[in-house]
Amino acid sequence: QDQVVESGGGLVQAGGSLRLSCATSGFTFTDYGMSWFRQAPGKEREFVAGITWSGGSTYFADSVKGRFTISRDNAKNSINLQMNNLQVEDTAVYYCAALARTKYMYSYNPKFYDYWGQGTQVTVSS
């Protein structure tokens, strides 16, 4: 059974930090680039950060550059998102997603992704 499970969300004050984790199983992890998306109430799902299958390249939305970092551990079939200097506008449900590298090395478009987690809530208070 293919699974993507996020963890690490929570409530934090503006300026604080959180670390999200995403554990996967049921598919060959190194066949997939991995990304984080987020969706705030009433808004479309948006790309946050991505990492290629090897971990050699990373990509970030302009809104999080310099504050978020993404990493992966291919031995543990997992990725992480370190979020620093969080702002109120970062409040959203954060989703982990897998993209087959036979399609694209990375994509900002959620429709191309093959596997999704159930999401984890991140709330930043002022």
Side-chain angles (χ1 to χ4, degrees), residues 18-20 36 48-49 68-70 79-83 94:
L18 279 176
R19 185 177 178 86
L20 304 184
W36 290 93
V48 175
F68 291 12
T69 57
I70 186 171
I79 67 168
N80 294 297
L81 184 70
Q82 178 66 42
M83 305 185 294
Y94 282 71

Side-chain angles (χ1 to χ4, degrees), residues 17-31:
S17 298
L18 279 176
R19 185 177 178 86
L20 304 184
S21 296
C22 172
T24 73
S25 62
F27 57 90
T28 303
F29 188 64
T30 50
D31 283 346

